[in-house]
Amino acid sequence: MAKNRISRVSMMVAIAVVLSALTIAPAAHAQWFDDTYPGFFSLQTPGLVQATAFGGGYVSDKYAVLQEGTQVEQSVTPYIGVFGRATGYQLWIGGGFESPLAPSSGSYPRLNFGRFQGGLDFTLLPGTHLYVSGGHDVADSDAFVVEGDFSSWICLHSQHPLNASFSSMHDFQNGVTSTEFDLQAILLSTEKYMVLGGVGGAMYNGGFLAASQGQGGPDVGFYYRPWKLGVSAQAGYGNAHQYGQISMYKQLSWLE
């Protein structure tokens, strides 16, 4: 009889502990979320509009690309923004090579197309952003695309902060997933400019590719603070043999 009472009491205690844990866990999680992202659901005041103009070029033994475009972003909350991006591409293909946009469609010396995308910018942590977008091509490409871009600054308070970034995009027309990655450190920083250096590269998988392809090499960057202007260059080797690329961007922002 006593054993049955002890068993019942033990069971009731166990149930009480489980119920308490289930009650405390959501509260603790909610408290952590509020502490980490205060005001997550509140509108950002004043609002911030940012515009970035960018351009660049890539050249290798097999093909060359020029691109230019702009991105406009509107803040919604302190941690979420909406953005739209428009990019124009000019693609030159080496003699006898098929178009990577539409393989088996023949050989073309040059293709011109535009890409329009829209999506969300998530500020996961200070200095850490995740951009998620989707879009569609026009003109010589008719692809639907989905893209994710991630960038994070590491060791912000050290003498040489690091930036780790990657961008992954899937093209539903040719079935290829392309992923670019980069790791740079601030080598020199003054009141007006920064000099960065590191390594980067790209990987291509799926679609008409029989096997994974890639490339990589060292890169260097320069950012001029008064103009909010950045320039970066990279050179290396991969499946397309020797390659070189350069990119630049100019940022503007307004408080509403």
Side-chain angles (χ1 to χ4, degrees):
M1 189 71 170
K3 289 183 178 179
N4 290 336
R5 290 180 179 175
I6 292 174
S7 298
R8 291 177 182 176
V9 171
S10 299
M11 185 177 296
M12 293 177 63
V13 171
I15 293 173
V17 170
V18 171
L19 291 176
S20 298
L22 293 175
T23 303
I24 294 172
H29 184 271
Q31 185 61 48
W32 172 87
F33 187 86
D34 290 340
D35 292 341
T36 306
Y37 302 106
F40 183 87
F41 297 103
S42 62
L43 294 178
Q44 180 169 332
T45 305
L48 179 65
V49 178
Q50 295 178 300
T52 304
F54 56 87
Y58 171 96
V59 62
S60 70
D61 292 347
K62 294 190 175 183
Y63 63 93
V65 182
L66 284 178
Q67 70 177 66
E68 59 285 323
T70 184
Q71 175 173 303
V72 178
E73 179 174 346
Q74 168 69 62
S75 65
V76 180
T77 77
Y79 306 97
I80 300 177
V82 295
F83 70 91
R85 184 188 303 158
T87 311
Y89 295 89
Q90 298 80 48
L91 171 63
W92 287 267
I93 305 168
F97 291 100
E98 286 189 328
S99 164
L101 300 174
S104 302
S105 61
S107 178
Y108 299 93
R110 174 174 169 174
L111 296 168
N112 303 289
F113 63 99
R115 176 168 294 158
F116 298 93
Q117 296 170 258
L120 298 175
D121 168 20
F122 299 95
T123 302
L124 305 181
L125 293 170
T128 300
H129 287 260
L130 173 64
Y131 294 85
V132 180
S133 64
H136 187 259
D137 294 350
V138 296
D140 288 330
S141 174
D142 190 38
F144 284 95
V145 297
V146 60
E147 181 174 350
D149 308 296
F150 176 84
S151 175
S152 181
W153 282 98
I154 307 169
C155 305
L156 281 171
H157 302 292
S158 68
Q159 188 173 0
H160 301 287
L162 293 171
N163 178 259
S165 64
F166 74 84
S167 175
S168 186
M169 183 189 69
H170 182 74
D171 185 314
F172 289 94
Q173 183 177 19
N174 59 23
V176 174
T177 299
S178 56
T179 301
E180 299 181 0
F181 52 88
D182 196 39
L183 181 63
Q184 286 190 326
I186 297 178
L187 305 178
L188 178 64
S189 179
T190 71
E191 183 180 354
K192 290 188 175 182
Y193 65 85
M194 292 189 301
V195 178
L196 304 93
V199 294
M203 292 292 295
Y204 309 95
N205 302 276
F208 67 93
L209 300 175
S212 297
Q213 298 185 9
Q215 60 196 24
D219 55 26
V220 63
F222 178 82
Y223 184 77
Y224 188 60
R225 300 180 195 272
W227 293 353
K228 295 184 178 180
L229 176 69
V231 180
S232 63
Q234 183 183 112
Y237 188 84
N239 289 93
H241 302 156
Q242 295 90 352
Y243 76 93
Q245 65 182 32
I246 187 169
S247 61
M248 62 185 302
Y249 61 92
K250 163 69 176 168
Q251 298 172 315
L252 298 170
S253 61
W254 303 270
L255 290 174
E256 295 179 308

